C-alpha cells in the first residue's frame, strides 16, 4: 500500500495460513522446548517471569481477559532476549565438548573441568539492542568472553549496560550491516564464534538454538495460563516481530503443544520496519525486506529483513500481520504504566507494549470496528500479549510516560 495513504493501524490477512497444518520444524518440537527449559531452570536465579492478568483493563476494553507476560523481570536484564543467547551459547559449548544438551546443566558447563576441556571461547555479535546485553550476560555466566559491535549512534546507556555485563563493547563508525560484517570478519580472523539472532544462508544453527531458547517463555506462559483460566488457552496471541524469531518460536511452541489450535495469531510490527506485512502482501511464499529508513521508537522491532526460518513458520500459522504507527506502542506503554482499577502496573518499553497498545486502540476506537471484527475480538476473547522488555531505554521511557511524547496528534510515523 502507498505509505502516504496508510492508516495508523494496517491489517493484512495471511492468505497462506494453512488451517489443517500442524507442521513445525523439528527444532521446535515439545521435546526441544523441554531441553531449553531444563537448561534455563539450571541457571542461578532462574524464575519464571510473571503472567499478569488485567481484569479491569479487560472490562474497560470489552474483552474477556487480558494477560501480559512481563519479561522486564527476566534475570534482572529487563528483556526476554537472554533466553535465546544463553541457550545457543550453551549448546555451542556442549557441541564443542561432544555432549548433548540433555547431559548438560549450566553448573557443569561452568565447572573448571569443563572449562579446561573447552578452553577459552569468545562470542561476538553485532546489535544495537537487547541481544548484545544478553550475549554479554550469558558469556559472563558461562565464564567465557564476549565482544559486541554497535552501530554508530547507539545509546550510551545501552553501551554502558553491555560493558557492565562484562563484555567489550565497540561503537563503530558505520551502520548495523557494517557491524554484522565486522563481527563476521573478526570471528574469522580471531577464531571467535558469531552469535546473531537471525538466520541467513549458511548461518542457521545458532539462530535455531536461539529460537529454541525463546520457547521457554512460551512454555512458561502456557503453563501459567492453564492454571489461571478454565479454557486453558488464549483465543488470541498478540506477538510483535522484528526479524520474527520470537514470534515464530512462541507460535511454533503453541502449535506443537496445544490440542486446540483454534487461536487467532496477530503478528505486529512498526510501519517503518514492516517486513512481515510486506511479505504477506507479496504472498509468494518468500520473505521480503522493508527498505529505507527503519526509524521507529520500537528499536527492538526495527528490522528490515525477516529471519527466513521464522517466516516459514509465520506464513504457515499466523492469521494476521498488522503494522502500526509509533503512538500505538507509546499508548500501550502508558496504559500499562497507569492501570485501570486494581490492575497492577507494568513497566513496558516501546517494543514490549505494542501488543497492548494495539488491543487498546482496536477495542476503544469506533473507527476500528471493522478491524476488531476481522480479528474476531469481542467480550469472549482471551488475549495473551508479551511485554518483551521493560524500560531498556530509560530516557525514552520517561519522555513517553512522564512527558507524554509520541501522541497520536504529533506522530509522523503513521
Ligand atoms: C524487546 C524486544 N521485543 C521483541 C523483539 C523482536 O524479536 P525478533 O527480532 O526475534 O522478532 C526484540 C528483538 O530484539 C526485542 O528486543
Amino acid at each position: 500500500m502507498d505509505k502516504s495513504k496508510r492508516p495508523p493501524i494496517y491489517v493484512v490477512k495471511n492468505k497462506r495460513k494453512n488451517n489443517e497444518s500442524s507442521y513445525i520444524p523439528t527444532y521446535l518440537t515439545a521435546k526441544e522446548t523441554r531441553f531449553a527449559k531444563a537448561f534455563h531452570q539450571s541457571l542461578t536465579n532462574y524464575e519464571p517471569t510473571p503472567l499478569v492478568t488485567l481484569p479491569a483493563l479487560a472490562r474497560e476494553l470489552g474483552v474477556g481477559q487480558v494477560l501480559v507476560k512481563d519479561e522486564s523481570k527476566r534475570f534482572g536484564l529487563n528483556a526476554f532476549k537472554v533466553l535465546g543467547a544463553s541457550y545457543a551459547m550453551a549448546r555451542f559449548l556442549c557441541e564443542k565438548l561432544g555432549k548433548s544438551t540433555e547431559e548438560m546443566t549450566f553448573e557443569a558447563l561452568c565447572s573448571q573441568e569443563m572449562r579446561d576441556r573447552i578452553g577459552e571461547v569468545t562470542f561476538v555479535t553485532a546489535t544495537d539492542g537487547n541481544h548484545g546485553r544478553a550475549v554479554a550476560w550469558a558469556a559472563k555466566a558461562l565464564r567465557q568472553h564476549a565482544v559486541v559491535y554497535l552501530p554508530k549512534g547507539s545509546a550510551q546507556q545501552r553501551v554502558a549496560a553491555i560493558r557492565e555485563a562484562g563484555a567489550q563493547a565497540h561503537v563503530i563508525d558505520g551502520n548495523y550491516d557494517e557491524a554484522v560484517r565486522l563481527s563476521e570478519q573478526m570471528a574469522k580472523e580471531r577464531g571467535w564464534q558469531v552469535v546473531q539472532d537471525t538466520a541467513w544462508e549458511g548461518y542457521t544453527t545458532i539462530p535455531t538454538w536461539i529460537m529454541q531458547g525463546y520457547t521457554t517463555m512460551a512454555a512458561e506462559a502456557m503453563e501459567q495460563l492453564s492454571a489461571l483460566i478454565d479454557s486453558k488457552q488464549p483465543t488470541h496471541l498478540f506477538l510483535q516481530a522484528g526479524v520474527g524469531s520470537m514470534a515464530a518460536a512462541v507460535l511454533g511452541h503453541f502449535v506443537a503443544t496445544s490440542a486446540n489450535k483454534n487461536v487467532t495469531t496477530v503478528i505486529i510490527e512498526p510501519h517503518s520496519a514492516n517486513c512481515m506485512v510486506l511479505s504477506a502482501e507479496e504472498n509468494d511464499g518468500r520473505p521480503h525486506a522493508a527498505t529505507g529508513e527503519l526509524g521507529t521508537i520500537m528499536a527492538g522491532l526495527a528490522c528490515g529483513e525477516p529471519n527466513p526460518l521464522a517466516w516459514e513458520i509465520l506464513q504457515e500459522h499466523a492469521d494476521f500481520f498488522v503494522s502500526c504507527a509509533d503512538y500505538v506502542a507509546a499508548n500501550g506503554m502508558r496504559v500499562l504504566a497507569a492501570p485501570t482499577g486494581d490492575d497492577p502496573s507494568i513497566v513496558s518499553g516501546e517494543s514490549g507494549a505494542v501488543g497492548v497498545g494495539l488491543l487498546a486502540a482496536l477495542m476503544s476506537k469506533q473507527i476500528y470496528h471493522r478491524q476488531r471484527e476481522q480479528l474476531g475480538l469481542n467480550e469472549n476473547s482471551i488475549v495473551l500479549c508479551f511485554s518483551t522488555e521493560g524500560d531498556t531505554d530509560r530516557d525514552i521511557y520517561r519522555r513517553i510516560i512522564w512527558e507524554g511524547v509520541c501522541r497520536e496528534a504529533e506522530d509522523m510515523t503513521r
Side-chain angles (χ1 to χ4, degrees), residues 40 74-75 77 79-87 130 134 137-138 214:
H40 289 131
R74 185 67 71 186
F75 291 118
L77 288 172
F80 78 105
K81 298 287 292 189
V82 70
L83 292 173
S86 61
Y87 188 60
N130 299 314
W137 184 90
Y214 295 161

Side-chain angles (χ1 to χ4, degrees), residues 80-81 130 214 240-246 300-301 303 351 388-389:
F80 78 105
K81 298 287 292 189
N130 299 314
Y214 295 161
Q240 57 274 49
V243 298
S245 304
M246 185 282 282
L301 312 185
C303 305
S351 299
T388 46
E389 67 176 350

Side-chain angles (χ1 to χ4, degrees), residues 3 44 84 95 102 123 137 203 261 283 328 337 379 390 411:
K3 279 188 183 177
T44 329
E95 281 222 338
E102 291 140 84
F123 295 99
W137 184 90
Y203 184 76
K261 311 270 186 279
N283 194 24
V328 174
E379 67 283 4
D411 191 347

Side-chain angles (χ1 to χ4, degrees), residues 129-148:
N130 299 314
H131 177 65
R133 190 173 177 194
V135 170
W137 184 90
K140 190 173 180 190
L142 291 161
R143 299 177 63 206
Q144 297 293 353
H145 311 282
V147 178
V148 180

Side-chain angles (χ1 to χ4, degrees), residues 62-386:
V63 293
Q65 297 249 26
V66 180
L67 299 127
V68 179
K69 182 83 170 145
D70 180 4
E71 289 297 309
S72 72
K73 304 282 197 297
R74 185 67 71 186
F75 291 118
L77 288 172
N78 228 355
F80 78 105
K81 298 287 292 189
V82 70
L83 292 173
S86 61
Y87 188 60
M89 288 155 72
R91 284 209 57 164
F92 174 81
L93 297 178
C94 283
E95 281 222 338
K96 241 174 130 41
L97 285 164
K99 294 212 174 267
S100 72
T101 18
E102 291 140 84
E103 304 166 75
M104 263 300 138
T105 62
F106 166 70
E107 209 182 336
L109 271 181
C110 302
S111 67
Q112 196 53 47
E113 185 203 338
M114 292 302 162
R115 269 183 51 83
D116 292 345
R117 285 173 58 191
I118 296 167
E120 302 221 336
V121 176
T122 299
F123 295 99
V124 60
T125 190
T127 171
D128 56 356
N130 299 314
H131 177 65
R133 190 173 177 194
V135 170
W137 184 90
K140 190 173 180 190
L142 291 161
R143 299 177 63 206
Q144 297 293 353
H145 311 282
V147 178
V148 180
Y149 293 110
L150 297 100
K152 189 176 177 172
S154 296
Q156 263 317 307
Q157 202 191 325
R158 288 178 199 254
V159 182
I162 291 168
R163 289 195 181 129
E164 261 165 47
Q168 282 183 41
H170 303 287
V171 180
I172 66 156
D173 187 22
N175 63 18
Y176 172 75
D177 294 329
E178 286 165 298
V180 173
R181 276 196 291 280
L182 180 61
S183 71
E184 283 184 285
Q185 184 195 325
M186 294 303 280
K188 262 195 211 118
E189 278 175 26
R190 307 211 174 164
W192 296 349
Q193 178 56 46
V194 174
V195 187
Q196 255 351 111
D197 50 357
T198 190
W200 56 81
E201 221 182 308
Y203 184 76
T204 52
T205 307
I206 293 233
T208 57
W209 290 340
I210 287 182
M211 288 168 74
Q212 288 173 344
Y214 295 161
T215 62
T216 290
M217 174 175 78
E220 284 176 8
M222 296 311 168
E223 274 167 34
Q224 290 164 319
L225 194 128
S226 63
L228 281 172
I229 55 172
D230 295 339
S231 63
K232 307 217 176 294
Q233 69 172 54
T235 60
H236 290 76
L237 269 177
F238 274 33
L239 299 167
Q240 57 274 49
V243 298
S245 304
M246 185 282 282
V250 173
L251 181 51
H253 177 75
F254 188 83
V255 174
T257 56
S258 301
N260 178 1
K261 311 270 186 279
N262 201 8
V263 59
T264 302
T265 305
V266 183
I267 307 300
I268 312 161
E269 299 176 287
H271 275 336
S272 58
N274 59 347
C275 52
M276 304 292 166
V277 165
L278 293 175
S279 304
E281 280 187 320
E282 287 294 330
N283 194 24
D284 60 5
R286 293 204 311 268
H288 291 265
T291 49
E293 261 298 313
L294 302 177
T296 166
I297 59 164
M298 294 170 253
L301 312 185
C303 305
E305 290 186 22
N307 172 351
L309 304 175
W311 173 246
E312 243 181 52
I313 298 164
L314 296 178
Q315 69 164 331
E316 180 100 357
H317 297 295
D319 294 272
F320 295 97
F321 294 93
V322 175
S323 75
C324 51
D326 277 4
Y327 76 82
V328 174
N331 283 347
M333 292 164 70
R334 291 186 274 260
V335 167
L336 290 169
T340 316
D342 290 334
D343 286 356
S345 149
I346 297 175
V347 176
S348 183
E350 305 79 73
S351 299
V354 67
V356 169
L358 174 67
L359 179 67
L362 291 175
M363 297 311 293
S364 62
K365 299 203 173 168
Q366 189 46 29
I367 48 164
Y368 296 126
H369 71 95
R370 220 175 41 75
Q371 287 89 336
R372 196 185 305 161
E373 278 160 30
Q374 195 181 10
L375 268 57
L377 287 163
N378 56 44
E379 67 283 4
N380 299 318
S381 302
I382 299 165
V383 186
L384 175 58
C385 298
F386 289 81

